[in-house]
Amino acid sequence: MSVWNYVVTAHKPTNVTHSCVGNFTGPQELNLIIAKCTRIEIHLLTPQGLQPMLDVPIYGRIATLELFRPHGEAQDFLFIATERYKFCVLQWDAENSEDQAMGDVSDRIGRPTDNGQIGIIDPDCRLIGLHLYDGLFKVIPFDNKGQLKEAFNIRLEELQVLDIKFLYGCSKPTIVVLYQDNKDARHVKTYEVALKDKDFVEGPWTQNNLDNGADLLIPVPPPLCGVLIIGEETIVYCSASAFKAIPIRPSITKAYGRVDADGSRYLLGDHAGLLHLLVITHEKEKVTGLKIELLGETSIASTISYLDNAFVYIGSSYGDSQLIKIHLQPDVKGSYVEVLERYVNLGPIVDFCVVDLERQGQGQVVTCSGAYKDGSLRIVRNGIGINEQASVELQGIKGMWSLRSSTDDPHDTFLVVSFISETRILAMNLEDELEETEIEGFCSQVQTLFCHDAVYDQLIQVTSSSVRLVSSTSRELRNEWKAPSGFSVNVATANATQVLLATGGGHLVYLEIGDGTLTEVKHAQLEYDISCLDINPIGENPNYSQLAAVGMWTDISVRIFSLPELNLITKEYLGGEIIPRSVLLCSFEGIPYLLCALGDGHLLNFLLNMSTGELTDRKKVSLGTQPITLRTFSSKNTTHVFAASDRPTVIYSSNKKLLYSNVNLKEVSHMCPFNSAAFPDSLAIAKEGDLTIGTIDDIQKLHIRSIPLGEHPRRICHQEQSRTFAICSLKYNQSSTEESETHFIRLLDDQTFEFISTYPLDTFEYGCSILSCSFSDDSNVYYCVGTAYVLPEENEPTKGRILVFIVEDGKLQLIAEKETKGAVYSLNAFNGKLLAAINQKIQLYKWMLRDDGTRELQSESGHHGHILALYVQTRGDFIVVGDLMKSISLLIYKHEEGAIEERARDYNANWMSAVEILDDDIYLGAENNFNLFTVRKNSEGATDEERGRLEVVGEYHVGEFVNRFRHGSLVMRLPDSDVGQIPTVIFGTVNGVIGVIASLPHDQYVFLEKLQANLRKIIKGVGGLSHEQWRSFNNEKKTVDAKNFLDGDLIETFLDLNRTRMDDISKAMGVSVEELCKRVEELTRLH
């Protein structure tokens, strides 16, 4: 049963909705604060660029984000209001950001505003104003200490408000209101807010009959004061004493950013992504005119924040956000704008498909992202890819090390490859090929246990009988330490100046390397045999370690010894029967750790105190089922760790926490960094009989590749047989006279993503749905496209087409077309036929062979009774329909009668945005108030009435507008893991979120529900916002607690808690911390 569901984010929101700049984290620190609908990011402006400081979820959809500074404060406070009428004021505290005040500003009655909420703060910090409901202006006053007092409403006569701002430089708080009257004319009015009387007083001026497209007010700070009114064809400056207007090229301004503190220059971003500079010319305090100048093109801006020194942040909802610099002189193309950085944004994801392009058993998501000119396809896959540069067949590799030809050579020259009874040395020749070479001083007839570069242009080789010190320039042996007779070396490790090795019988020997010398400094006898060693220097000196990590047989412990004395400092028992197979001292983001890998694929990590050698904060994760070997490597100047095993993993650190990302390779036995001149920053990887050299992707959990289209993709579909994608897209043609759009069906190669064929649609014709399918009695595979003729004078399309294409020689060939009496919103393959949703009707077509050998679609049966059937999914003979406003209904196809009948429906009024079938009886829906819900088919009902009702079994507020569900998974499904059998559905949203819904077994659901309840008590939402309220299902009619859905994002934060909080939860749950970590860790594998 798919009743119990776990909802988790695989890709966080990237649509930037708000941004602001100020001194939030310190009086001298300049911060950029970005809102991505349900998350807030705080960045610090540094000479190196933007540095992330904090990224936190907000339990609400952010409607207002404003910085303000109450009197007497040295730094700014942050005001946030959410779409569900909660607000909070946040103040930065170096330990963590803490809230000052919070509250609820909802009213029991009131019609929510059509143009969205407006939240504004009086420049003199006397009050916060909110326009949440038509005809009401809510005031939250500040007292003289900067604390918020009780809110009250003032009646506002203007019902169709377009914008409200506070004016600067007024003795009493004064708002300026831009509104539309019932004759559609637009005007501006000012009001003073009388806080004592809790009422408005007529303000100092008004301005009637503005540009019909006026919809944005920009208040100008002192000394000029007044307000700019931005229209589609004119810009007006207005104040009590002045009125100036200039005409502009027709455009819709989406965002503005103030450049100077005195407000004489503003950046304006329009719907086409053009950036203009608006200048208010003035003599002292008298405004003399307005000037506007085109600077260049950016992403379509939703928010613009001027940072400093001509650096500007452009936040976008329709494309990637950007950090740009504005130059004083134009470049060769006449643009003043230089894009310095792009920040990937997947939003809005209008459609996507899940495909296994590399045929590795791992799904990738290909999205239709962005809008207008910023439209693109994005290929999203989980894990880190290795891009193969060279490969050679070699069986039975037991170890690999890279060596340099001299100490100060920046590149590696040799690759030492060890086998069970020999050692081979490979090097790059002049043709950049790997070929075998000799290092005369090395012993090549035996297995090498360890190699390393050493100081004074030397190399170290450890074998079972000796340690050899060899010159890297002459390649001759300079010195040798021989194992005592009757003993052989079992494990060894070294760095540039030190060697640590163990022989049988628990002997630990420590040597130091000099110029041509190898000195045995210390020897210790331990009570058990030694299984692994490490002396990787992570202290002050990059060539010398003061600590040694030693893993033991028999007592299954890891020990820390001091060097050079070999005194035991710390002993940590690992528990269980499995011995440590690899230990590593390493440092992530300046924090020292000890990693310890066991023979069964488990990895323990500890925080390491460098001065005392103490190990704390023990955590355990499972990375596979086979023994792991650990190696460090560096990528983009940061050190990471590669764990080679049956599930190779890269361990890295972000925001001071360790993250694990799977590498997209089947099984890796050994890895070593190989940074040669021909293959910079590469890795050498031994896997299943091959030695591969390759570069590694950026280190992150999800890898995203962008294919910019310059047009807006709306639907996508993949066809395995022809190795192609087909998309429905539209291109906006902006010429000076009229804006028009052209719609296309485009065919793309599924490897290169190049357009290989295009079929233009008719004027006014839109592509609405696309499908790859085959029909009964026909072996071909076709692309079917459903269209609609969208005519300006019609409310609903009355005509459309179904087009059937075949791909021949990489071209789209039209085989058949069928005219329809409405928009074809959805197409499904259905028992060898084609099922179409056309306006309010479901229609079934069969594929008929005409006498002349051509084929056509012939209408077979249909079903009426929907408002608009927008989303359809099928399974067997069942058809699930998501309606524009009538929720979900279930139809069945009766073979005997050849008819479609309604079997059951959900009688709630839900405006649907997507549907999916989870299993035979449970259907999933998303609706336009950002909720998810599941309904169950009630086949066992006693009466027809009961059987005819789809019962709501699960409800949840996801806080995201879901455009599409698809079955599939972003991760490799390994049948041996506990989560391998859990079915998942992926969803894509307007904010660029990719989410996963996993259907859990009941006992696991009950366990996690208890964990979620305990986490709610311990983890408090930012600004005191309640998690329970945030996740409650909420629409105009009702608000009810979430049921049968769990918040995976909250549950997975368990892994980031400190040990004390983990212990608290473990006590409350009656389950050990290790067990809790293991169970939550496995859930993170779902995405």
Side-chain angles (χ1 to χ4, degrees), residues 787-855:
T787 75
Y789 286 88
V790 180
L791 303 170
E793 65 275 8
E794 288 183 350
N795 286 338
E796 273 315 317
T798 55
K799 151 178 157 161
R801 291 193 290 172
I802 297 174
L803 307 171
V804 182
F805 296 96
I806 193 165
V807 178
E808 269 174 4
D809 308 326
K811 296 274 179 289
L812 283 171
Q813 307 285 349
L814 185 63
I815 298 290
E817 67 170 289
K818 181 83 180 172
E819 207 168 286
T820 61
K821 292 199 170 96
V824 184
Y825 288 115
S826 177
L827 288 171
N828 292 76
F830 189 72
N831 299 325
K833 299 171 183 164
L834 183 67
L835 187 75
I838 304 164
N839 283 14
Q840 59 275 47
K841 177 172 185 193
I842 303 290
Q843 185 76 39
L844 187 61
Y845 294 94
K846 52 178 189 266
W847 189 233
M848 299 299 285
L849 190 60
R850 292 201 193 95
D851 297 343
D852 63 0
T854 60
R855 297 194 174 257

Side-chain angles (χ1 to χ4, degrees), residues 229-515:
I229 305 159
I230 312 292
E232 286 176 16
E233 291 170 0
T234 52
I235 292 179
V236 170
Y237 168 83
C238 222
S239 70
S241 58
F243 177 90
K244 299 283 178 223
I246 49 163
I248 55 169
R249 248 194 67 233
S251 71
I252 301 164
T253 302
K254 293 278 192 195
Y256 75 91
R258 184 167 87 201
V259 179
D260 312 290
D262 73 355
S264 54
R265 294 183 299 171
Y266 289 89
L267 292 167
L268 303 181
D270 73 6
H271 66 301
L274 296 178
L275 188 68
H276 287 86
L277 181 68
L278 175 66
V279 181
I280 304 178
T281 56
H282 58 99
E283 288 161 9
K284 296 216 169 94
E285 282 154 39
K286 183 171 182 284
V287 172
T288 54
L290 299 171
K291 281 197 313 208
I292 190 156
E293 186 173 1
L294 176 62
L295 297 177
E297 190 186 328
T298 65
S299 293
I300 300 170
S302 56
T303 165
I304 298 176
S305 287
Y306 182 85
L307 302 173
D308 202 3
N309 297 335
F311 288 98
V312 180
Y313 177 77
I314 305 280
S316 179
S317 299
Y318 293 144
D320 291 346
S321 294
Q322 296 168 325
L323 180 66
I324 63 168
K325 185 166 172 91
I326 295 174
H327 292 286
L328 293 170
Q329 298 303 321
D331 62 14
V332 286
K333 295 198 183 107
S335 168
Y336 294 85
V337 172
E338 178 193 2
V339 177
L340 301 175
E341 281 208 52
R342 301 185 77 92
Y343 306 97
V344 167
N345 169 25
L346 296 191
I349 299 173
V350 192
D351 192 11
F352 70 92
C353 57
V354 188
V355 286
D356 177 10
L357 292 179
E358 331 247 295
R359 296 186 157 68
Q360 284 194 344
Q362 171 168 2
Q364 301 184 17
V365 164
V366 182
T367 67
C368 290
S369 286
Y372 310 105
K373 73 168 182 77
D374 292 334
S376 64
L377 298 181
R378 308 276 173 149
I379 302 102
V380 182
R381 63 180 161 79
N382 183 297
I384 294 175
I386 302 287
N387 311 307
E388 198 172 295
Q389 310 278 344
S391 180
V392 50
E393 231 178 282
L394 282 175
Q395 298 286 343
I397 296 176
K398 292 280 174 244
M400 291 193 300
W401 301 268
S402 53
L403 300 175
R404 285 177 233 163
S405 50
S406 72
T407 302
D408 43 14
D409 189 338
H411 292 112
D412 297 323
T413 308
F414 306 110
L415 187 60
V416 179
V417 186
S418 167
F419 300 89
I420 201 124
S421 58
E422 61 165 341
T423 295
R424 292 189 189 174
I425 292 147
L426 305 175
M428 305 303 293
N429 65 14
L430 297 171
E431 280 77 62
D432 287 342
E433 293 163 327
L434 269 183
E435 62 175 20
E436 211 159 322
T437 180
E438 294 279 311
I439 296 179
E440 290 73 13
F442 273 22
C443 180
S444 58
Q445 292 82 46
V446 294
Q447 176 177 351
T448 297
L449 297 177
F450 200 85
C451 277
H452 206 279
D453 297 304
V455 284
Y456 306 115
D457 294 344
Q458 303 177 112
L459 307 171
I460 280 282
Q461 179 196 23
V462 186
T463 67
S464 62
S465 59
S466 76
V467 177
R468 299 170 77 91
L469 182 63
V470 176
S471 158
S472 64
T473 44
S474 72
R475 305 193 187 183
E476 286 160 11
L477 184 67
R478 295 191 64 187
N479 206 321
E480 184 172 21
W481 174 94
K482 289 193 168 64
S485 67
F487 285 97
S488 68
V489 179
N490 296 339
V491 284
T493 185
N495 57 41
T497 62
Q498 300 164 290
V499 183
L500 186 66
L501 56 88
T503 67
H507 292 276
L508 188 59
V509 181
Y510 170 63
L511 316 173
E512 289 191 351
I513 303 166
D515 193 348

Side-chain angles (χ1 to χ4, degrees), residues 21-40:
V21 174
N23 310 103
F24 182 65
T25 59
Q28 301 307 315
E29 297 183 350
L30 190 63
N31 302 107
L32 169 68
I33 301 182
I34 299 169
K36 296 182 174 174
C37 190
T38 57
R39 295 190 76 86
I40 281 187

